[in-house]
Amino acid sequence: MNAPCREPQEQEPGRWRLTRQADVRVALADPRLQVPPPAPGDGPMARLRRAVSRFSNGAEHTARRRAAAKEYGTIAVAALRAEVGARVCEELAAARGGRIDLMPAARAIPVGVLATAMGVPAGLSGEVAEAVAVVAAAYPPGAAVEPVPADQAATRLEALLGNPEPGRFAALAVLLVQTCDATAGLIGNTLGQMLSRGARGTVDAAVAETLRFDPPVRATVRIVREPVSIGEVAIPAAATVILDLAAANRDPEVFADPGRFDPGRPERASLTFGSGHRRCPGDKAALEMAAGFVETALGCELADIRYAPSTNLRVPSRLEVIA
Ligand code: HEM
């Protein structure tokens, strides 16, 4: 049987997909491949999208990313794990051995803990998490959401963060919003793997392997600003390129037996946090918070796990356990 073709593929006119890890790395490092511009609009949500590093390119991206990194630098990352664990413990204690869907907590607790670590008064962390969840749903390009609740949530978030000047608001908000769904997905997917297979090995190894095997962020998108060659293949200007992180994480050139969930595998070069000049700056916080959540919930019994369809994310819509 012939090996499947893994060259860059034009799936439909002007729309390409990269699946080989080496090709995805090249694309992530090439400044001629840029993130798509945010949707136009005048409201608070549209203004926030236009102000964050995540949807900026060139010098603007560099400056905004630096501002977000400065805020991130104030966080005591090593303390996040225990703080998340303590809040999960409270949730499980409140469920008192009954059934509980852990996904609302997987969304709210990491965002709330991060907000507290960034200096938001602890009493406001629940409200911050609520506002961030609404903003996060409206944030990706092409999100089909009601504009009014998203605008209200963006305005509320600004107030909860103390109405900082717009550049600082964008730097704080991008950290919280990027945390929300991706970290919830990493928590849900890791618990799904560990509770269904019977937990073996360390939580940190299971989190790292879930990041590769069942990543919460499946893909990221670029627009080609000048013609480029990736591998042997020429991709023209204006093409849309899907960087398939989930496929690159199962590249047989990099991983032995890539379709097997193996927390003990020595090679860990997953692309789930991206790479190059846009690589996720919050990776350590995400790993600490996911590990803190998962290790606290490992004594639960899995009752039901469900996923809602989504193009770029894989986050359980429901993760019901017996506490
Ligand atoms: C499991 C959880 C997470 C995953 C899988 C993840 C993944 C990613 C990826 C793939 C990108 C780059 C997107 C691209 O190149 O197109 C990114 C960017 C970003 N992430 Fe994360 N992330 C996670 C959690 C977090 C957390 C906890 C924070 C904050 C503490 C964070 C902050 C950011 C920021 C600010 C950016 C934009 C960077 C830039 O504009 O250069 N992320 N993330």
Side-chain angles (χ1 to χ4, degrees):
M1 198 170 74
N2 289 333
C5 173
R6 299 175 55 251
E7 292 297 323
Q9 295 269 305
E10 190 171 19
Q11 297 196 304
E12 55 187 83
R15 199 173 167 85
W16 295 69
R17 179 174 291 271
L18 309 184
T19 58
R20 186 187 282 155
Q21 185 172 120
D23 292 344
V24 173
R25 278 189 194 280
V26 165
L28 285 168
D30 192 326
R32 293 170 297 178
L33 283 93
Q34 300 197 338
V35 295
D42 289 331
M45 186 65 224
R47 276 203 298 279
L48 176 59
R49 278 197 218 98
R50 277 202 300 276
V52 293
S53 62
R54 178 65 185 83
F55 303 124
S56 314
N57 288 293
E60 213 165 44
H61 168 252
T62 309
R64 290 170 171 181
R65 182 179 166 101
R66 195 174 295 134
K70 188 174 154 209
E71 301 297 342
Y72 182 72
T74 65
I75 297 169
V77 172
L80 298 174
R81 184 172 184 144
E83 191 51 47
V84 167
R87 294 199 195 182
V88 175
C89 223
E90 285 170 21
E91 288 282 326
L92 295 176
R96 290 193 191 88
R99 283 169 92 102
I100 174 176
D101 175 9
L102 288 179
M103 288 318 293
R107 275 205 171 72
I109 291 178
V111 173
V113 165
L114 203 68
T116 310
M118 282 163 35
V120 174
L124 296 180
S125 68
E127 269 190 82
V128 168
E130 275 171 33
V132 166
V134 178
V135 170
Y139 177 78
V145 291
E146 291 294 325
V148 173
D151 281 341
Q152 286 171 342
T155 304
R156 182 78 191 119
L157 181 60
E158 203 166 358
L160 288 163
L161 295 176
N163 289 313
E165 56 81 19
R168 179 151 192 260
F169 171 52
L172 295 169
V174 76
L175 295 173
L176 295 167
V177 174
Q178 293 283 145
T179 297
C180 186
D181 288 324
T183 310
L186 181 57
I187 291 167
N189 296 349
T190 308
L191 278 172
Q193 293 297 335
M194 292 190 89
L195 297 182
S196 63
R197 292 168 190 268
R200 284 175 294 117
T202 68
V203 166
D204 297 73
V207 169
E209 177 65 344
T210 303
L211 211 53
R212 181 195 75 81
F213 179 84
D214 192 8
V217 177
R218 318 287 298 175
T220 191
V221 179
R222 296 291 189 264
I223 307 293
V224 178
R225 294 298 173 204
E226 291 170 40
V228 290
S229 287
I230 295 189
E232 302 291 300
V233 177
I235 304 182
T240 296
V241 182
I242 313 298
L243 312 186
D244 191 333
L245 306 175
N249 285 351
R250 293 193 182 200
D251 185 339
E253 285 168 17
V254 181
F255 300 101
D257 198 0
R260 190 160 65 92
F261 182 77
D262 176 9
R265 68 173 58 246
E267 69 285 13
R268 284 277 175 73
S270 117
L271 277 182
T272 306
F273 285 123
S275 85
H277 58 292
R278 310 192 75 102
R279 188 181 198 281
C280 178
D283 55 352
K284 290 197 173 53
L287 293 172
E288 291 292 340
M289 294 194 290
F293 197 116
V294 169
E295 67 198 2
T296 312
L298 264 191
C300 298
E301 187 186 323
L302 183 61
D304 190 19
I305 182 162
R306 290 178 193 207
Y307 287 87
S310 161
T311 41
N312 272 3
L313 292 177
R314 190 169 135 86
V315 182
S317 52
R318 187 166 188 82
L319 174 62
E320 210 170 88
V321 297
I322 300 164

